[in-house]
Amino acid sequence: QVRLMESGGGLQQAGGSLNLACVLTGANFRIKTMNWYRQTPGKQRELVASITSDFATNYTHSVEGRFVISRDNIKKTVRLQMDRLKVEDAGVYYCHTLHYGRTFWGRGTQVTVSS
């Protein structure tokens, strides 16, 4: 059974840092593109960052230069290092991947940024 488990959210002041982690079980992590999405009230879930199986990365414009996505194929973990946090970075962050055409989400981890 494919499962994604996020951790690392919390409350941080603007300008601070948080590191999110997501562990994948039940699938071959090495071949997966892994994604981090963010959802805020009243808005659609948006793609924040992604990393392919060959370590190519992509970021939404608003986080470029502040967030770094990385992966550890041994630990089957994808991380999102979030630096210089802004109030608008707050939301529920979800880990996501595709497996045989099906989409899988973690339960999400809350990120709160105080001004």
Side-chain angles (χ1 to χ4, degrees), residues 8-115:
L11 171 64
Q12 184 58 266
Q13 286 187 329
S17 298
L18 284 172
N19 187 278
L20 306 184
C22 170
V23 179
L24 170 68
T25 57
N28 186 352
F29 182 83
R30 291 179 182 270
I31 66 172
K32 299 295 183 192
T33 291
M34 301 298 298
N35 306 301
W36 284 101
Y37 280 77
R38 172 175 65 208
Q39 187 158 28
T40 54
K43 294 185 178 181
Q44 285 191 332
R45 204 170 287 190
E46 67 166 333
L47 179 62
V48 175
S50 62
I51 185 165
T52 67
S53 59
D54 58 359
F55 294 84
T57 59
N58 191 45
Y59 301 92
T60 192
H61 180 69
S62 64
V63 309
E64 284 180 340
R66 299 188 297 119
F67 290 12
V68 176
I69 188 171
S70 61
R71 66 188 298 152
D72 183 335
N73 288 343
I74 302 298
K75 296 182 178 179
K76 298 185 178 182
T77 300
V78 58
R79 294 188 177 275
L80 187 67
Q81 176 66 37
M82 305 189 294
D83 296 325
R84 291 182 282 141
L85 283 163
K86 300 179 180 180
V87 172
E88 52 263 40
D89 294 325
V92 180
Y93 282 71
Y94 294 91
C95 188
H96 168 271
T97 195
L98 293 174
H99 182 65
Y100 289 106
R102 291 182 60 193
T103 191
F104 288 88
W105 298 96
R107 290 187 175 184
T109 185
Q110 178 72 47
V111 170
T112 304
V113 183
S114 62
S115 59

